[in-house]
Amino acid sequence: MQYESVILFLCDDALVTNDLQFGFKKGSGCPDALFTFRSTVDYFIKNGSNVYTASLDISKAFDRVSHPKLFASLYEAGIPMYIVVVLSDWYGKMCSMVRWNGVYSNLFCVRSGVRQGSTLSPALFNLFIFNYVFKE
């Protein structure tokens, strides 16, 4: 079992989010969100109401997660402090470089965002969004 999967297993109870949050969750996704949206719109139209909608593009949201707020939300959610400290240390050492036309940039430290392609990142992102967007 990989390192991130162990953390997910240990923290499974604390990484619970709202049932109406469909993204990045096992057993739910876009079809569920679209069904809920369509059912709601149909209900209000059927009952004679006007329906107004808005959408939000959060395609860059993984890159904008504040590390201090992420670690605070993990702690507030009941994640054991030793895991928060390990993740804080791990994210504090996250560096990257850019490759363009076969040329590499200098190494730079990454101070925000969750790791792209990580097994753990969707759960961290969901918890962050739930705690710092919907509760503020």
Side-chain angles (χ1 to χ4, degrees), residues 65-107:
V65 172
S66 161
H67 289 171
K69 287 184 177 183
L70 172 63
F71 303 130
S73 69
L74 291 172
Y75 179 74
E76 290 169 14
I79 301 296
M81 188 54 134
Y82 69 92
I83 292 178
V84 175
V85 169
V86 166
L87 290 173
S88 176
D89 183 61
W90 190 32
Y91 271 76
K93 295 175 181 171
M94 195 164 48
C95 295
S96 193
M97 65 175 59
V98 177
R99 182 182 73 192
W100 186 62
N101 285 337
V103 177
Y104 291 88
S105 72
N106 292 329
L107 200 62

Side-chain angles (χ1 to χ4, degrees), residues 60-67 70 111-114 124-125 128:
K60 301 289 184 201
F62 263 43
D63 299 332
R64 312 263 183 200
V65 172
S66 161
H67 289 171
L70 172 63
R111 299 289 178 219
S112 65
V114 292
L124 296 178
F125 180 75
F128 173 79

Side-chain angles (χ1 to χ4, degrees), residues 10 24-25 42 44 51 56 79 91 96 103-104 116 124:
L10 292 173
F24 308 112
K25 292 172 85 171
D42 288 347
F44 283 101
V51 177
L56 177 63
I79 301 296
Y91 271 76
S96 193
V103 177
Y104 291 88
Q116 302 290 321
L124 296 178

Side-chain angles (χ1 to χ4, degrees), residues 16-85:
V16 175
T17 56
N18 190 295
D19 289 338
L20 294 176
Q21 184 179 355
F22 297 104
F24 308 112
K25 292 172 85 171
K26 189 175 186 176
S28 72
C30 279
D32 300 300
L34 290 172
F35 175 77
T36 302
F37 172 76
R38 184 61 197 223
S39 297
T40 303
V41 169
D42 288 347
Y43 172 84
F44 283 101
I45 289 174
K46 179 181 167 192
N47 289 295
S49 293
N50 292 328
V51 177
Y52 302 96
T53 65
S55 63
L56 177 63
D57 177 6
I58 60 167
S59 59
K60 301 289 184 201
F62 263 43
D63 299 332
R64 312 263 183 200
V65 172
S66 161
H67 289 171
K69 287 184 177 183
L70 172 63
F71 303 130
S73 69
L74 291 172
Y75 179 74
E76 290 169 14
I79 301 296
M81 188 54 134
Y82 69 92
I83 292 178
V84 175
V85 169

